[in-house]
Amino acid sequence: MDIVSIGIIIMTILFSIKGFKDVNFFDRYKFNTAAILKGNQWDRMLASAFLHGDVIHLFFNMYSFFFFSTKLINDYGGIFFFVVYISSILAGNFLALFIHRNNSYYSAIGASGGVSGLIFAAVILDSTMSLQMMFIPIPIPGWIFGIIYLAYSIYGMKTQLGNIGHDAHLGGAFMGLLMGLIYVIMYKDSNYNINFELKYLLLMLVPLIYLVYLVIKEKK
């Protein structure tokens, strides 16, 4: 890890702890469609990623952030990691803003959109990677994890399952896929630890294409 990723973890922890204790602070910086569209508080698009609902929510996001940021920094550089993370947060929140634009009460928090982007960028750049998750005794191929994650997020978005910003997860995942693909195209002829296989990208695009269909249907 480098100083930027360590700084993001520290900032997220401090920001979240402040939100745990200060309701006014939490309400000011959480993602909320009315505050953004009507109140012109666009800083919420980024600041909301540094807030979390509880310690468990914070821990699992930072746990995933730690491993995948380390993977991207070590293999592809700190600048690439930072661009993927921030752009994935914004992509996830812009998708949420579009989907919930007519629901002034919709609110969300968490770094999941950015973490999703890190996960999917890593899977694209190293398609044969495996994920060793807590409480799961066997490694899971990254592309299978990606499909399961997207499918679950689509189901959660349609059913409003739990207090989770599934649409932000999906937007972040899409940005991670896009950034990973751009990196592959730019450096495919160089030795940059790229292990890209098109078939795995095509498989992970299936649930994303379905997402596009849902967004178009919602707009109509």
Side-chain angles (χ1 to χ4, degrees), residues 23-39:
V23 175
N24 292 329
F25 180 86
F26 185 90
D27 288 341
R28 171 59 185 85
Y29 291 107
K30 69 181 181 182
F31 178 96
N32 176 265
T33 52
I36 294 169
L37 294 175
K38 298 178 182 179

Side-chain angles (χ1 to χ4, degrees), residues 24-59:
N24 292 329
F25 180 86
F26 185 90
D27 288 341
R28 171 59 185 85
Y29 291 107
K30 69 181 181 182
F31 178 96
N32 176 265
T33 52
I36 294 169
L37 294 175
K38 298 178 182 179
N40 202 31
Q41 295 177 354
W42 291 92
D43 55 338
R44 293 173 182 259
M45 298 289 285
L46 186 60
S48 59
F50 292 88
L51 288 172
H52 288 80
D54 52 43
V55 173
I56 295 176
H57 185 204
L58 173 63
F59 170 77

Side-chain angles (χ1 to χ4, degrees), residues 76 125 180-196:
Y76 312 107
L125 289 166
L181 187 58
I182 290 173
Y183 193 99
V184 168
I185 293 171
M186 291 177 62
Y187 298 108
K188 62 181 179 180
D189 297 324
S190 303
N191 185 19
Y192 279 96
N193 299 310
I194 295 174
N195 186 16
F196 169 72

Side-chain angles (χ1 to χ4, degrees), residues 167-186:
D167 32 20
H169 293 194
L170 290 165
F174 179 82
M175 181 56 69
L177 285 171
L178 179 62
M179 295 296 291
L181 187 58
I182 290 173
Y183 193 99
V184 168
I185 293 171
M186 291 177 62

